Amino acid sequence: MHDVYHSSGRHAKVTRMRVDERCRSASNERIRLAEYWPRDDNGKPNGSAAERGMEKVAASASMAAGLLQGRALLSGEVRALLEGASVPVAGASWSEAVQLAALLGRVRLSGAVAAHGGGRADARRRSRCLRCGSGEEQLRRTSCASCGRLCAYCEACLTMGRSRECELLVLGRYEASEREAGESSICKVLPVKERLEKWGLSPAQHAAAAEALRFVESQPLYNRGSSLRHHAQSHTPHLRNGQVAGTGIHPAKESERQQQLQYSWWRNWSVRLLSWGAPLAAERTDIRNFLLWAVTGAGKTEMIFPLVDSVISRGGRALIASPRRDVVLELDPRIRRAFPDARVVTLYGGSEQRWERGEITLSTTHQLFRFQEAFDLVILDELDAFPYHGDPMLKYAADKSCLPGAPRLLLSATPPRELQRAARQGKLAHARVPVRYHRHPLPVPSLVSAPTVKGMLQEDKLPATLTKALRSSLSRGAQIFVFVQRIAQAEPLAALLRRKLQCPHVDATSSQDPDRAAKVISFRKGEIRLLVTTTILERGVTIPRSDVYILDADGGLFDEASLVQMAGRAGRSADDPRGKVYFFGSERNQSQLQAVRHIRSMNKMAKVRGYLLPVYTKKGARA
Ligand SMILES: [Zn+2]
Ligand SMILES: [Zn+2]
């Protein structure tokens, strides 16, 4: 049971409404709906004014429900969204529209912080933030200015607005009407092979994309829970009016006949309300995961194009989420170029498209808190990268954004152990892309014995092996990444290298460097030739001609995944596919050996499957 307060401007009277998700009898509905009825000065229901008022509220409710589909928003965010979309609320406040939509079962209302299984949160029962999934350990209780009680709020998702016990969380139900015609369209007619052709994929990309595409299309869009969906539709045939909601057509332009239908439906009170959706905050077991294990530089973006195409051409909605904002910003123009006719919405902290609704949504993982059962296809980029990996809050957000039974593609060059194991044991559908798009093998790291960075700095001396290798990289015109473990070592090492190599174009950066972005740009331009960095640049930064040096490669902060990622910076372009990778360390540890084994096994698989250029096969070598 949740209490909802709303005030009506028209009769300046605060009414109180109780919305119970589980028990809704027809007689109760009549009482609740009657609260919307305008009254004359004597308190009697006002006939024609009432009818006009009801129509307006009904139309606003329908539009609001359409705009809120798949959303999980706090009341202030709902208001911003509806005002931004210019929902006509003449004669009806936005909250009335939302409450009517809730009575019709098209949105669901809940406390933003509530006890497990719904209801009001209090100190005696374990509560949870239903927006980010955080439990008691993230909740704080303060005496609240809005509700006047001791009220719990969530600290974990505070940066996105205060989620608290007396705050309303509005969950918009996904409605499938827009796409039903699309289901039988193009995808069913054209075979997979033909549809993949237009994307110009390499043989390895093609094979993996075909497998992923078959997986995505193995079930129709949003098939689970369809009985519930159709049931709900049959009881609200006219007011649902997905077209009005979906296309944003102003209700005033609708035919009189349509209004008449809405009105007569309205007078019949015959609405049956249904609860819907998966239980909140529960572990999702219905999502269909697919692991796309693609080496660094495999060209994963091109591989997801046909999957996105398949879903949006059937009228569905696709999401591509990355833990990193720069990846989202980089992806934006590529997606818009690939899908010029699709509506693309790009979301990150401060995005102007925050309240827009698209066929393709690009988003940082943090922005997913604002969605609930919204997407027919979810693509999670770099799921092993900080901050996604090991963060239960982001996992919750990524889970709840999926529609029931939706396919979810997990992209990674270095999947976490448990996923690798599940894939090997046949418990996780997957495809491997063992070769880069340019079909050259991955550079295999050379292991070189060397003193520690600390030792080099203390002695003010570089080992001869390192100096020699760096000079040869500089003379072949390569850009050089030098990875170190500690932020404090980056600047002093850069100074030492500058002196010993007699090269002024040496710089250093780390997560604490305010000029990091500018330095990366200079490095890309070749103004900086050698950049000393921490693992902050282990992913994402791609420089065409570059060599990679990892110092203290045996240090505890570098595991197999991060060594493979750093090594993956070399040899990225077709013009310089054989970049050099060195692991410098005082000993060879497990992580280094595993990383080398990982890279070799990918190269071997690429060769066996015939993905490498002919020059790398025996036949080609002889020719
Ligand atoms: Zn929270
Ligand atoms: Zn409160």
Side-chain angles (χ1 to χ4, degrees):
M1 189 77 86
H2 186 79
D3 297 341
V4 181
Y5 296 87
H6 74 103
S7 75
S8 160
R10 274 169 301 142
H11 37 115
K13 182 183 120 197
V14 177
T15 54
R16 184 162 180 242
M17 202 176 77
R18 296 169 77 82
V19 178
D20 189 322
E21 293 294 324
R22 282 152 293 185
C23 152
R24 285 171 162 149
S25 70
S27 65
N28 281 344
E29 294 319 320
R30 205 166 300 139
I31 294 161
R32 288 180 197 138
L33 294 172
E35 289 181 31
Y36 289 99
W37 210 256
R39 285 155 203 278
D40 63 19
D41 294 342
N42 302 320
K44 296 254 166 62
N46 181 344
S48 62
E51 285 165 17
R52 281 199 303 277
M54 295 315 289
E55 281 164 19
K56 280 178 185 160
V57 181
S60 298
S62 178
M63 284 190 78
L67 291 162
L68 290 168
Q69 284 185 55
R71 289 290 195 163
L73 299 178
L74 302 178
S75 56
E77 297 172 329
V78 171
R79 189 167 54 221
L81 183 148
L82 296 183
E83 282 170 4
S86 319
V87 171
V89 286
S93 73
W94 69 271
S95 65
E96 281 178 314
V98 168
Q99 286 175 26
L100 178 54
L103 287 171
L104 298 174
R106 295 186 61 191
V107 306
R108 182 172 161 190
L109 306 178
S110 159
V113 171
H116 281 286
R120 211 170 70 74
D122 63 47
R124 290 178 302 280
R125 296 164 67 191
R126 286 189 64 77
S127 304
R128 186 163 200 172
C129 169
L130 295 186
R131 178 167 66 164
C132 77
S134 294
E136 280 291 339
E137 54 287 354
Q138 299 287 346
L139 300 182
R140 300 286 170 272
R141 286 178 173 78
T142 55
S143 95
C144 173
S146 350
C147 69
R149 287 187 303 217
L150 195 66
C151 181
Y153 74 92
C154 174
E155 272 200 324
C157 60
L158 198 55
T159 53
M160 302 192 73
R162 192 174 291 243
S163 165
R164 64 188 170 201
E165 203 183 324
C166 65
E167 172 67 80
L168 203 60
L169 185 67
V170 179
L171 306 167
R173 204 189 77 192
Y174 191 91
E175 308 194 346
S177 61
E178 293 162 36
R179 92 271 294 258
E180 264 149 22
E183 274 285 1
S184 57
S185 69
I186 178 163
C187 306
K188 297 266 166 72
V189 183
L190 282 176
V192 166
K193 200 171 165 236
E194 254 167 77
R195 274 185 288 137
L196 283 175
E197 245 158 42
K198 71 168 168 177
W199 302 105
L201 303 175
S202 74
Q205 285 175 314
H206 190 284
E211 228 165 297
L213 193 56
R214 280 189 205 102
F215 179 83
V216 166
E217 292 177 357
S218 63
Q219 286 188 24
L221 297 179
Y222 192 21
N223 66 322
R224 305 220 182 143
S226 56
S227 58
L228 176 64
R229 192 174 82 235
H230 291 129
H231 194 181
Q233 280 170 8
S234 68
H235 285 282
T236 54
H238 306 299
L239 196 72
R240 272 192 78 262
N241 201 354
Q243 247 185 338
V244 171
T247 58
I249 296 167
H250 196 286
K253 290 183 186 149
E254 282 187 293
S255 69
E256 212 171 302
R257 161 90 184 136
Q258 186 66 34
Q259 287 190 7
Q260 198 56 45
L261 280 170
Q262 283 192 3
Y263 176 65
S264 57
W265 167 82
W266 186 247
R267 289 294 294 268
N268 284 335
W269 311 113
S270 64
V271 61
R272 273 266 303 282
L273 301 167
L274 296 156
S275 65
W276 54 275
L280 282 167
E283 185 73 22
R284 292 284 298 268
T285 52
D286 60 304
I287 301 165
R288 300 185 298 127
N289 286 314
F290 186 97
L291 172 66
L292 188 59
W293 183 352
V295 296
T296 54
K300 60 189 171 187
T301 309
E302 291 80 8
M303 284 184 269
I304 65 178
F305 286 163
L307 311 178
V308 170
D309 192 31
S310 159
V311 167
I312 66 171
S313 68
R314 284 180 286 160
R317 297 172 70 202
L319 166 75
I320 305 164
S322 169
R324 291 181 307 135
R325 178 192 161 110
D326 50 346
V327 172
V328 170
L329 293 176
E330 211 174 278
L331 214 49
D332 174 270
R334 296 178 70 185
I335 294 287
R336 287 178 200 272
R337 262 201 309 278
F339 299 97
D341 300 326
R343 177 147 185 72
V344 179
V345 171
T346 303
L347 303 175
Y348 47 87
S351 160
E352 293 196 343
Q353 288 191 294
R354 199 166 11 168
W355 308 125
E356 291 176 28
R357 186 177 148 77
E359 293 165 278
I360 305 173
T361 302
L362 304 175
S363 176
T364 56
T365 22
H366 270 94
Q367 297 297 318
L368 299 183
F369 291 129
R370 296 199 171 114
F371 293 95
Q372 171 99 14
E373 298 189 2
F375 301 101
D376 300 273
L377 170 66
V378 171
I379 298 171
L380 284 185
D381 186 29
E382 300 204 65
L383 84 153
D384 60 309
F386 178 83
Y388 181 77
H389 187 45
D391 186 336
M393 203 164 85
L394 290 182
K395 183 188 182 304
Y396 174 82
D399 277 3
K400 80 184 177 112
S401 65
C402 298
L403 272 162
R408 179 166 65 184
L409 206 72
L410 311 171
L411 299 181
S412 180
T414 47
R417 283 269 152 72
E418 61 271 22
L419 290 191
Q420 292 190 26
R421 199 177 312 121
R424 264 200 309 276
Q425 293 171 346
K427 292 174 186 164
L428 173 62
H430 67 285
R432 268 213 242 189
V433 186
V435 68
R436 290 180 162 169
Y437 75 94
H438 55 45
R439 304 180 65 190
H440 293 270
L442 299 164
V444 178
S446 309
L447 275 61
V448 185
S449 174
T452 60
V453 174
K454 193 178 165 199
M456 293 179 206
L457 292 172
Q458 274 170 357
E459 303 273 310
D460 194 36
K461 199 171 135 193
L462 296 174
T465 44
L466 178 60
T467 320
K468 190 171 167 234
L470 286 171
R471 288 225 166 93
S472 116
S473 288
L474 284 171
S475 64
R476 81 176 194 91
Q479 298 289 100
I480 302 170
F481 287 93
V482 175
F483 288 98
V484 294
Q485 298 231 336
R486 310 204 177 285
I487 294 170
Q489 291 173 339
E491 281 291 351
L493 184 68
L496 180 62
L497 289 166
R498 212 175 286 133
R499 259 189 301 122
K500 298 287 178 191
L501 296 171
Q502 293 170 339
C503 170
H505 312 291
V506 174
D507 218 322
T509 191
S510 70
S511 57
Q512 290 174 8
D513 180 5
D515 300 328
R516 190 172 88 223
K519 283 180 189 170
V520 169
I521 291 169
S522 299
F523 190 45
R524 273 188 210 282
K525 286 185 186 161
E527 293 161 3
I528 295 175
R529 290 292 310 281
L530 187 158
L531 189 59
V532 182
T533 174
T534 54
T535 51
I536 191 77
L537 295 188
E538 78 173 28
R539 293 158 194 262
V541 179
T542 300
I543 308 281
R545 177 182 292 267
S546 56
D547 290 346
V548 172
Y549 291 74
I550 300 164
L551 307 188
D552 289 343
D554 52 337
L557 290 179
F558 296 153
D559 59 4
E560 175 193 337
S562 95
L563 289 169
V564 169
Q565 290 285 351
M566 290 184 282
R569 300 303 101 213
R572 293 294 282 262
S573 82
D575 297 333
D576 183 48
R578 299 181 208 200
K580 300 269 184 291
V581 179
Y582 298 95
F583 290 174
F584 282 86
S586 43
E587 58 180 66
R588 299 178 171 202
N589 65 359
Q590 274 302 312
S591 299
Q592 291 174 73
L593 297 175
Q594 282 164 351
V596 172
R597 210 176 301 137
H598 182 140
I599 290 167
R600 282 191 196 280
S601 75
M602 285 296 189
N603 286 344
K604 191 175 167 197
M605 184 185 287
K607 190 172 175 180
V608 169
R609 294 190 185 175
Y611 292 149
L612 295 179
L613 291 174
V615 69
Y616 293 102
T617 62
K618 275 185 188 149
K619 230 181 185 174
R622 245 183 267 127

